[in-house]
C-alpha cells in the first residue's frame, strides 16, 4: 500500500515536471530538429519510405502535447506493469537456484 | 536519434532486428530469474518517466535540439537487463503509438538506444564504481549517448557505401555532424542524469543503494 502511494506520488511529480518542461519545450525547442534530423537536413536527405501510419502524433500545441504525453505515460506504465509482472511471475514459479 | 524508415540499407536494418530481439530475449530471461514484485512499480514509473523526458527536447546549438535518452538512468536504477526491457518498452510505444522512429527501423533503434546505450552505461558504471556515483554517472551518460550516436553514424555511412544515393548518408557528412551534435547533446544527458541521480541520493537513497548493486546483481 505504501509502495503504491509512493508510485502515485512519483507519477504525479513526473507529470508535473513534464507540464513545466513542456512550456520550455514550446518556448525554445519545438521547431528545432534533433541531431539525426539536423544531419539528414544538412545531407539533403528527406524522410521517405514510411510503411506505417501511427494512430497518434505528439501534437502541435501545448495542450495536445500534454494530452499525448499523458496518454503515452499511461500506456508505458500499463505495458511495463504487464511485462514486468509476467517476468516476475516466471521468477516466482521457477525453482530456487 | 530515432531512425525513420527508408533511411538505412535493409540488410543493416535486418541486423538491427537480430541484435534487438536477441538482446531483449536475453534480458527478459535474465529478468525472469531475478525480478521481484517489489521492483515492478519502479520499472514502470522509470519507463514512463523516460518516455515523457524524451518528449522534452532542449536547445543545443544552431537551432538543433536534443533530449534525454535515459539509458544510464535506467541502468543505474534497475540494472542493465531490466534497463534493456525499460528502454525497449519506451521505443516500441513511441514507434507504434506515435510514429516516433520507423517500424522497419525499430530493430535498429532498439539495438542503438536500448542495447548499445545500456551496455555502454553498464560498462562505465562498473569501471568507475571506485570514483564515486556522481562522476561515474556523468561519464557513463555522456558515453552512452556518444557511442550510440557513433554507431548510428556508422550505420548511415555503411548504408551509403552499400547503396549510394538510395540509403544512408555519406561518411564525410554523417560522422562529423552526428558526432559533433551528439557530443553536445550528451552533455545535456550527463547534466540531467547526474541531477536526477543526485536527487535520488538525497531524498530516496534506497533507490540508489539498490542501483549500486543492480549492475552486478543482474549481470
Amino acid at each position: 500500500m505504501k509502495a503504491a502511494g509512493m508510485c502515485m506520488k512519483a507519477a504525479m511529480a513526473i507529470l508535473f515536471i513534464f507540464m513545466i518542461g513542456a512550456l520550455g519545450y514550446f518556448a525554445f525547442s519545438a521547431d528545432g530538429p534533433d541531431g539525426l534530423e539536423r544531419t539528414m537536413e544538412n545531407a539533403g536527405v528527406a524522410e521517405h519510405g514510411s510503411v506505417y501510419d501511427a494512430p497518434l502524433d505528439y501534437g502541435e500545441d501545448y495542450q495536445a502535447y500534454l494530452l499525448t504525453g499523458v496518454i503515452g505515460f499511461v500506456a508505458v506504465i500499463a505495458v511495463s506493469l504487464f511485462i514486468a509482472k509476467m517476468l516476475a511471475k516466471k521468477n516466482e514459479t521457477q525453482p530456487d537456484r | 536519434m530515432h531512425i525513420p524508415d527508408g533511411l538505412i540499407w535493409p540488410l543493416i536494418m535486418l541486423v538491427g532486428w537480430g541484435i534487438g530481439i536477441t538482446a531483449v530475449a536475453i534480458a527478459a530471461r535474465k529478468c525472469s530469474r531475478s525480478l521481484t514484485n517489489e521492483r515492478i512499480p519502479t520499472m514502470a514509473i522509470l519507463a514512463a518517466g523516460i518516455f515523457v523526458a524524451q518528449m522534452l527536447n532542449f536547445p543545443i546549438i544552431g537551432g538543433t535540439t536534443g533530449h534525454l535518452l535515459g539509458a544510464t538512468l535506467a541502468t543505474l536504477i534497475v540494472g542493465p537487463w531490466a534497463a534493456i526491457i525499460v528502454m525497449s518498452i519506451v521505443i516500441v510505444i513511441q514507434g507504434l503509438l506515435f510514429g516516433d522512429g520507423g517500424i522497419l527501423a525499430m530493430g535498429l533503434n532498439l539495438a542503438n538506444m536500448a542495447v548499445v546505450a545500456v551496455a555502454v552505461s553498464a560498462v562505465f558504471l562498473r569501471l568507475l564504481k571506485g570514483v564515486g556515483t556522481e562522476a561515474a554517472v556523468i561519464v557513463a551518460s555522456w558515453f552512452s549517448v556518444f557511442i550510440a550516436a557513433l554507431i548510428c553514424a556508422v550505420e548511415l555511412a555503411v548504408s551509403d557505401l552499400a547503396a549510394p544515393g538510395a540509403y544512408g548518408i555519406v561518411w564525410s557528412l554523417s560522422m562529423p555532424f552526428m558526432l559533433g551534435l551528439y557530443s553536445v547533446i550528451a552533455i545535456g544527458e550527463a547534466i540531467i542524469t547526474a541531477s536526477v541521480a543526485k536527487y535520488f541520493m538525497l531524498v530516496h537513497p534506497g533507490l540508489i543503494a539498490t542501483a549500486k548493486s543492480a549492475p552486478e546483481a543482474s549481470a
Side-chain angles (χ1 to χ4, degrees):
Chain A
M1 204 62 186
K2 194 183 165 195
M6 275 186 66
C7 285
M8 187 58 81
K9 268 189 197 171
M12 290 297 131
I14 290 168
L15 287 175
F16 180 73
I17 293 167
F18 175 62
M19 268 175 64
I20 306 295
L23 289 172
Y25 168 76
F26 275 95
F28 302 110
S29 311
D31 298 327
D34 72 9
L36 177 57
E37 290 164 348
R38 173 66 79 195
T39 303
M40 289 169 66
E41 271 181 26
N42 289 343
V45 174
E47 272 193 37
H48 66 283
S50 176
V51 295
Y52 173 73
D53 283 325
L56 298 170
D57 62 35
Y58 289 130
E60 296 294 315
D61 56 45
Y62 179 71
Q63 286 85 356
Y65 207 70
L66 280 190
L67 183 64
T68 51
V70 173
I71 291 169
F73 186 86
V74 173
V76 171
I77 285 189
V79 172
S80 302
L81 285 176
F82 177 73
I83 290 174
K85 275 186 178 167
M86 273 193 355
L87 294 174
K89 199 174 175 182
K90 247 182 167 180
N91 181 27
E92 281 171 4
T93 55
Q94 280 174 357
D96 289 343
R97 262 171 285 262
Chain B
M1 210 190 301
H2 294 71
I3 298 170
D5 284 336
L7 181 62
I8 301 289
W9 188 41
L11 194 59
I12 297 178
M13 290 210 285
L14 212 58
V15 172
W17 273 110
I19 294 170
I21 287 176
T22 305
V24 169
I26 294 170
R29 193 173 165 80
K30 293 274 186 183
C31 286
S32 74
R33 289 174 178 170
S34 61
L35 187 64
T36 56
N37 282 323
E38 292 75 42
R39 291 181 79 189
I40 292 174
T42 306
M43 263 181 84
I45 293 287
L46 178 67
I50 289 172
F51 173 84
V52 289
Q54 289 199 1
M55 288 178 70
L56 298 176
N57 285 45
F58 49 81
I60 53 161
I61 41 174
T64 307
T65 67
H67 60 72
L68 182 84
L69 182 57
T72 304
L73 189 63
T75 307
L76 183 73
I77 292 174
V78 294
W81 298 116
I84 288 175
I85 302 290
V86 163
M87 295 300 294
S88 299
I89 291 168
V90 171
I91 291 163
V92 169
I93 288 185
Q94 284 171 332
L96 288 180
L97 213 53
F98 299 99
D100 195 2
I103 289 293
L104 299 177
M106 191 181 282
L108 215 46
N109 285 324
L110 289 172
N112 294 348
M113 294 187 280
V115 181
V116 170
V118 168
V120 170
S121 301
V123 166
F124 277 95
L125 287 175
R126 181 175 282 195
L127 282 178
L128 301 172
K129 208 166 50 175
V131 301
T133 306
E134 289 100 330
V137 165
I138 289 169
V139 175
S141 46
W142 190 89
F143 274 103
S144 71
V145 171
F146 187 78
I147 302 289
L150 172 65
I151 300 291
C152 185
V154 169
E155 291 158 359
L156 290 167
V158 173
S159 295
D160 177 72
L161 285 172
Y167 295 105
I169 296 172
V170 62
W171 69 271
S172 58
L173 290 175
S174 64
M175 287 293 174
F177 280 118
M178 285 295 287
L179 298 189
L181 292 169
Y182 279 97
S183 64
V184 181
I185 292 170
I187 295 172
E189 176 90 10
I191 292 169
I192 296 168
T193 308
S195 305
V196 175
K198 184 79 185 167
Y199 173 78
F200 284 143
M201 278 187 262
L202 291 173
V203 303
H204 201 330
L207 200 59
I208 295 295
T210 307
K212 272 183 178 172
S213 58
E216 294 110 311
S218 47

